[in-house]
Amino acid sequence: MTPEQFLKHLQEHASSFAKAVATNEGEWIIKGFIDVYQRVYSISVDTKIVSKVLELLLFPMFVEFAKKHGLEIELCQHQNFYPDLTFTHKASGNRFAVDIKSTYRESETKVNGMTLGAFTGYFRNRDSNKNTLYPYSQYAAHFVLGVIYTKCDDVADERKQFSLADLAKIPSVIKDFEFFAQPKFRIATARPGSGNTKNIGSADSIATLISGSGPFASLGEEVYDDYWMFYLTRDMAEAVGVKRPYMNLKTYLEYKQRGSDTLKAHEKEIANLAEDEPEIEEAE
């Protein structure tokens, strides 16, 4: 199975997710948590809690997806490890990473945005097992299963308890789900997720997320990898005492162009020097 084939299957399957997690009126089927005494506690609208519950709710559908397409599925066993889900195609052995990301609408066209994982650690040390189920380089492709939703204005008091008989009266905290699946690089932007964080930021346009038409979509995954593998935040640059090489795509282009121009200007010298160099590996 190729990355393109996997994506096509995932997008087809994702189109049915909204019906599985929402009522006919579009409201979330999850109303809260229940204890052994059948007391119901309304769920918080906190994005971390919503994301985790959505992940648990969707897991049986991912199991079904895996069986249908000859895939083995593995969950990440540790919090904050990458990725959320690993799919391995039994016939080809190709591995595919899928992260579940959710965000809420701020308007009809914009969302709050998402973070798409670290641009340090396993992203740069691609043969390392640290904080990842398998080394980053062992995945044939990296995808995002995105969930867009709307926060409900009318939510229950989190301090209040309900009985099962009150279930229909408990308002849902989110509604109007929209699912999409895209390669991670196609929805990434050239800025970190928030502030000085070491996470890659996503597009905040709903149309861009659904279509996978972010800035790196046309530039390609190689440019995306190169940009983020060498990106430095202000704190990172200050820690090593260097000037930030670039801060956005415009300054990235200027930075790469300067390097290219320098190499071109000394092309003959470099070629002559290279001929005199012994063909031995440098000691680490």
Side-chain angles (χ1 to χ4, degrees), residues 5-284:
Q5 290 171 330
F6 181 86
L7 176 61
K8 183 174 182 290
H9 294 321
L10 186 60
Q11 288 176 331
E12 290 171 349
H13 207 73
S15 64
S16 65
F17 284 177
K19 292 180 181 178
V21 301
T23 65
N24 292 334
E25 292 73 34
E27 293 190 348
W28 200 14
I29 60 173
I30 301 298
K31 294 293 184 177
F33 303 102
I34 186 171
D35 64 20
V36 294
Y37 304 107
Q38 299 188 11
R39 293 179 299 212
V40 181
Y41 305 84
S42 61
I43 197 167
S44 169
V45 76
D46 180 272
T47 51
K48 289 184 179 180
I49 296 176
V50 168
S51 295
K52 188 60 184 178
V53 176
L54 272 171
E55 183 181 327
L56 294 171
L57 193 61
L58 291 171
F59 183 68
M61 285 170 270
F62 281 118
V63 172
E64 178 188 334
F65 167 75
K67 287 180 180 178
K68 183 177 180 180
H69 297 290
L71 298 156
E72 290 183 350
I73 182 173
E74 294 176 84
L75 278 172
C76 202
Q77 299 299 315
H78 304 281
Q79 191 174 4
N80 297 326
F81 269 47
Y82 179 82
D84 291 326
L85 302 167
T86 293
F87 292 94
T88 304
H89 188 232
K90 296 175 184 178
S92 66
N94 282 341
R95 284 199 183 104
F96 306 101
V98 175
D99 258 353
I100 303 170
K101 300 292 181 180
S102 62
T103 184
Y104 58 88
R105 294 179 181 88
E106 290 189 332
S107 70
E108 291 184 2
T109 59
K110 298 284 186 181
V111 294
N112 184 53
M114 302 175 289
T115 55
L116 302 179
F119 57 79
T120 56
Y122 60 79
F123 185 84
R124 297 185 177 182
N125 303 318
R126 298 194 166 195
D127 293 322
S128 170
N129 277 102
K130 187 177 180 181
N131 291 7
T132 181
L133 184 60
Y134 295 101
Y136 196 92
S137 62
Q138 290 187 14
Y139 290 93
H142 303 263
F143 299 99
V144 168
L145 188 286
V147 190
I148 299 171
Y149 59 86
T150 298
K151 289 182 178 181
C152 295
D153 296 327
D154 182 25
V155 295
D157 186 343
E158 292 178 34
R159 297 165 296 181
K160 188 177 179 181
Q161 295 178 12
F162 299 87
S163 68
L164 281 178
D166 296 323
L167 194 60
K169 301 176 185 176
I170 305 173
S172 298
V173 295
I174 56 177
K175 62 181 180 179
D176 300 336
F177 296 89
E178 191 167 7
F179 288 80
F180 67 89
Q182 288 292 345
K184 188 173 291 188
F185 80 95
R186 293 185 66 92
I187 62 170
T189 62
R191 62 180 184 275
S194 59
N196 206 35
T197 180
K198 296 180 180 65
N199 283 296
I200 299 167
S202 79
D204 60 7
S205 161
I206 294 175
T208 299
L209 292 171
I210 302 273
S211 62
S213 55
F216 292 104
S218 57
L219 298 175
E221 192 166 11
E222 287 186 9
V223 175
Y224 161 81
D225 282 343
D226 185 69
Y227 181 93
W228 281 111
M229 285 181 77
F230 299 100
Y231 184 92
L232 298 178
T233 64
R234 184 184 296 110
D235 287 352
M236 292 169 73
E238 289 177 355
V240 293
V242 300
K243 182 181 177 182
R244 294 177 72 186
Y246 51 86
M247 294 168 283
N248 50 42
L249 282 173
K250 181 178 182 292
T251 52
Y252 169 75
L253 175 62
E254 294 168 353
Y255 171 74
K256 300 296 282 189
Q257 191 64 54
R258 286 197 302 272
S260 177
D261 289 345
T262 301
L263 290 173
K264 277 187 178 180
H266 298 280
E267 187 174 356
K268 290 183 179 179
E269 297 167 61
I270 293 170
N272 290 332
L273 288 168
E275 289 179 2
D276 297 332
E277 289 179 341
E279 294 184 3
I280 57 173
E281 294 185 4
E282 292 184 1
E284 294 184 359

